[in-house]
Amino acid sequence: MIQSVDRAIRALGLLRSARGSHGLSLAQLAAGLELAPSTVHGIVKTLQAHGLVVQEPRSGHYRLGPELLKLGNVYLGTLELRSRSVTWSAELARRTGFAVRIGARTAGEVMIVHHEPRPDGSRQMAEAGLTLPLHATALGKAVLAFTGEEPGELPSMTADTVTERASLAEQLDQVRARALAAEQEEAVLGECGLAAPIADAESVVGAIGIVVPIAEWPVAESAIAAVREAARTISHELGATGWPAAR
Amino acid sequence: MIQSVDRAIRALGLLRSARGSHGLSLAQLAAGLELAPSTVHGIVKTLQAHGLVVQEPRSGHYRLGPELLKLGNVYLGTLELRSRSVTWSAELARRTGFAVRIGARTAGEVMIVHHEPRPDGSRQMAEAGLTLPLHATALGKAVLAFTGEEPGELPSMTADTVTERASLAEQLDQVRARALAAEQEEAVLGECGLAAPIADAESVVGAIGIVVPIAEWPVAESAIAAVREAARTISHELGATGWPAAR
DNA sequence: AAGCTCATTCGACATTACCGAATCATCGAG
DNA sequence: CTCGATGATTCGGTAATGTCGAATGAGCTT
């Protein structure tokens, strides 16, 4: 682990969590990293030269730069899971009438890599790049059930969030049995989810699911079948030999 | 400029331009950076520990990681230009019937920070994060005319791309006079654009415009007025005292 | 107009990252 | 199934590099 590179990335992380405020001053950055201001200065100037951070002309504060968006976008483009899923997510949205989300498995989270709005046009901005907790979302449970990784913590997000490992394990057993994960107001009040895992030739790499307002829950059997079918089809395209579990 | 941080960022850039192929091997990265493989190894392992790159389990190749998407997304969220513009871009799309783009000025380019699809639902994926050349797009010309920066090169993209500085300067004079930039098949065949600059209290920071298929060009006077009005309104919200030019 | 805060610059020190060689795993050929 | 080659990874010595503290200068407030 190279020290200066590590420090530079931690600086980016600090700028990320400082969202809302108008950037961070050099002194704040130095305090957060527990380094001398002059040390941090060299780091941010290097990042700035490449457009990863920008400096506000007036206050001198630093914030994240546009180059990061370009890099993030390329990451999206290289994701085979995403490119194979977009056409099917449109189909799923059409058949069910709900908004569709595709999530990719990342370290300890599920990241939304595609969002298909409801066909009726009710607009809601859920951008690609948002990450969801594994234990409190349908997409997350669909992934968690088949990867066997242990979530570190189970933070409570609403009154209905599952926070006990025992009951989560029980749920995951059902998910494995049905190849389908459900969630009712466990992450966002008024919002439910239904998702199925997507696998490639080796393991479960993500999930596809629908977002359902609580007023329209539970959904019809046909919608459940549609979610399963979309996940199965995409998995097949990604080279999965069996479904839901690989192998 | 810190050497190792600089090298790490150049490695990310290399991985970015290697799009299409399935990542880059350590040896390829080392060759591209003109460094010893072991040196590059330390760099990518540090990047990997933070999720900025991931390694494919099978081939050992490296590619960009999900953390970059998170960072890029936060950049979008901190952009005041974007948050002030989204509501007005929906309005503009409704009034004109065309897809709407919002571009932010970055170093030598214009970056799309928001895309509003056509109200009629014809779907086209122009993602946020794409960058457009300054000289061959309506958004770019709208920015270029008021920032006074000299574009380095004028690469030809279609038969109609303006590649001579003299004729470009002439066009920019008109843009300044009308506070409106137009483009006909100069970047993408079959596609025209119309855009107006957006300023904050100090300078022009971006532009808003519509994307028009060649078959529907030229657009009605009412659409032109709508683009201008949207740009003027957003500029006002951003604290611009005059329009189009700041000051 | 003066004092303050904060970003920035500079130089000396030693910590740190760099490189080359050795090791190990993986894949392909014989 | 064995052998060879390619390429990722590890390790240790060297010196180049980044780090820190103090000094400078700009901008803002009092």
Side-chain angles (χ1 to χ4, degrees):
Chain A
M1 179 96 73
I2 294 176
Q3 187 187 55
S4 57
V5 175
D6 180 62
R7 288 172 170 181
I9 299 172
R10 279 171 46 211
L12 290 177
L14 223 57
L15 289 171
R16 176 165 78 90
S17 54
R19 164 176 24 192
S21 79
H22 288 247
L24 254 50
S25 72
L26 186 65
Q28 289 174 310
L29 226 38
L33 296 171
E34 298 180 349
L35 294 172
S38 58
T39 303
V40 181
H41 183 254
I43 291 171
V44 292
K45 280 301 164 191
T46 308
L47 293 171
Q48 186 184 7
H50 289 271
L52 269 60
V53 306
V54 292
Q55 185 176 28
E56 300 188 11
R58 192 151 298 276
S59 63
H61 287 197
Y62 294 93
R63 51 169 64 190
L64 297 177
E67 202 66 24
L68 288 167
L69 190 55
K70 282 165 86 172
L71 289 168
N73 226 48
V74 170
Y75 162 73
L76 267 188
T78 60
L79 256 196
E80 201 178 349
L81 165 63
R82 182 176 193 270
S83 55
R84 301 271 185 188
S85 300
V86 282
T87 56
W88 295 106
S89 71
E91 169 76 5
L92 181 58
R94 194 187 60 74
R95 285 178 64 181
T96 62
F98 294 112
V100 172
R101 281 178 177 169
I102 295 170
R105 171 191 179 189
T106 65
E109 287 173 326
V110 167
M111 175 175 282
I112 299 178
V113 295
H114 181 68
H115 179 86
E116 192 76 28
R118 280 191 82 145
D120 66 16
S122 68
R123 195 154 293 264
Q124 53 187 355
M125 280 297 152
E127 302 289 347
L130 294 182
T131 55
L132 305 174
L134 288 173
H135 70 290
T137 62
L139 288 173
K141 290 181 196 175
V143 169
L144 196 51
F146 292 94
T147 58
E149 66 186 305
E150 275 291 319
E153 294 185 359
L154 306 179
S156 176
M157 309 185 68
T158 72
D160 292 339
T161 307
V162 179
T163 55
E164 290 173 31
R165 287 180 191 280
S167 45
L168 179 62
E170 200 172 309
Q171 283 196 10
L172 296 183
D173 280 337
Q174 289 187 26
V175 172
R176 270 185 288 271
R178 302 175 59 207
L180 196 77
E183 167 253 326
Q184 299 172 48
E185 293 192 304
E186 292 169 31
V188 178
L189 286 177
E191 205 175 280
C192 306
L194 198 68
I198 298 174
D200 67 6
E202 305 178 32
S203 64
V204 167
V205 295
I208 185 171
I210 56 179
V211 184
V212 183
I214 183 75
E216 301 174 55
W217 187 266
V219 299
E221 271 298 321
S222 63
I224 296 178
V227 170
R228 267 214 199 89
E229 190 178 324
R232 190 156 28 86
T233 308
I234 297 167
S235 297
H236 187 70
E237 284 201 8
L238 288 174
T241 53
W243 190 81
R247 179 181 351 263
Chain B
M1 179 95 75
I2 293 177
Q3 187 188 55
S4 57
V5 176
D6 179 62
R7 288 172 170 181
I9 300 172
R10 279 172 45 212
L12 290 176
L14 221 58
L15 289 172
R16 175 165 77 90
S17 54
R19 163 176 22 194
S21 80
H22 287 248
L24 254 51
S25 73
L26 186 65
Q28 289 173 312
L29 271 173
L33 295 171
E34 298 180 349
L35 293 171
S38 59
T39 303
V40 180
H41 183 254
I43 291 172
V44 292
K45 280 301 163 190
T46 309
L47 293 171
Q48 185 184 6
H50 290 270
L52 270 60
V53 307
V54 293
Q55 184 176 28
E56 299 188 11
R58 191 152 299 275
S59 62
H61 287 198
Y62 294 94
R63 49 170 62 190
L64 298 177
E67 202 66 22
L68 289 167
L69 190 56
K70 282 165 87 170
L71 288 167
N73 224 48
V74 170
Y75 162 74
L76 267 188
T78 60
L79 257 196
E80 201 178 349
L81 164 64
R82 182 175 192 271
S83 54
R84 301 272 185 188
S85 300
V86 282
T87 56
W88 295 107
S89 71
E91 170 77 4
L92 181 58
R94 196 187 57 74
R95 285 178 63 182
T96 62
F98 295 112
V100 172
R101 282 178 177 170
I102 296 170
R105 173 191 176 188
T106 65
E109 286 172 326
V110 167
M111 175 175 282
I112 299 178
V113 295
H114 182 67
H115 178 86
E116 192 76 30
R118 281 190 80 147
D120 67 16
S122 69
R123 196 154 294 263
Q124 54 187 359
M125 280 296 154
E127 301 289 348
L130 295 182
T131 55
L132 305 174
L134 288 173
H135 70 290
T137 61
L139 288 173
K141 290 181 196 176
V143 169
L144 195 52
F146 293 93
T147 57
E149 66 185 305
E150 275 292 319
E153 294 185 358
L154 306 180
S156 176
M157 309 184 68
T158 72
D160 291 341
T161 307
V162 180
T163 55
E164 291 173 29
R165 287 180 192 281
S167 46
L168 180 61
E170 201 173 307
Q171 282 196 9
L172 295 183
D173 280 338
Q174 288 187 25
V175 173
R176 271 184 288 271
R178 302 175 59 205
L180 196 77
E183 167 255 324
Q184 299 172 46
E185 293 192 304
E186 292 169 31
V188 177
L189 286 179
E191 204 175 280
C192 306
L194 199 68
I198 299 174
D200 67 6
E202 303 176 34
S203 63
V204 168
V205 295
I208 185 172
I210 56 178
V211 184
V212 183
I214 184 75
E216 301 175 55
W217 186 266
V219 300
E221 270 299 322
S222 62
I224 297 178
V227 170
R228 269 214 198 87
E229 190 178 324
R232 189 154 31 83
T233 307
I234 296 167
S235 298
H236 187 71
E237 283 201 9
L238 288 174
T241 52
W243 190 81
R247 170 187 11 249

